[in-house]
């Protein structure tokens, strides 16, 4: 199983607050709490969709290690190994 991140509203006037990053950190803390009581429940924390041409969600590539799900094989691959293929 995995936990899928939620989307946050985006307003360029508030980009300095990094609300997506703050939200991800809160979700990761929750994941750690759940993992303590149910160690085998979740294997992945998923930041939801990655859209290469959308700067609103490109902050996701800053999390390391990062994986993308191969659309053909459905196997997670290390982002750094396919980064050049994702750049537009």
């Amino acid at each position: 199983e995995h936990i899928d991140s939620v989307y946050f509203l985006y307003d360029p006037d508030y980009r300095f607050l990094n609300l997506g990053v703050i939200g991800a950190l809160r979700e990761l803390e929750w994941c750690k709490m759940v993992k303590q009581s149910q160690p085998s429940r979740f294997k992945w924390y998923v930041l939801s969709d990655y859209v290469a041409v959308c700067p609103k969600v490109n902050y996701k590539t800053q999390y390391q290690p990062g994986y993308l799900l191969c659309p053909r094989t459905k196997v997670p691959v290390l982002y750094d190994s396919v980064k050049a293929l994702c750049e537009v």
Side-chain angles (χ1 to χ4, degrees), residues 12-70:
D13 292 340
Y14 295 98
R15 83 175 126 250
F16 67 93
L17 293 174
N18 296 315
L19 295 175
V21 174
I22 292 169
L25 291 172
R26 297 278 315 235
E27 290 170 343
L28 285 168
E29 284 300 315
W30 183 83
C31 291
K32 285 171 58 175
M33 183 183 69
V34 170
K35 194 161 180 86
Q36 287 175 353
S37 62
Q38 302 171 35
S40 63
R41 183 158 178 206
F42 301 112
K43 183 175 179 179
W44 298 96
Y45 168 68
V46 180
L47 284 169
S48 205
D49 296 334
Y50 168 72
V51 182
V53 296
C54 183
K56 295 176 191 175
V57 297
N58 284 349
Y59 68 90
K60 296 172 184 183
T61 62
Q62 297 173 19
Y63 293 94
Q64 299 295 321
Y67 291 84
L68 294 176
L69 191 63
C70 175

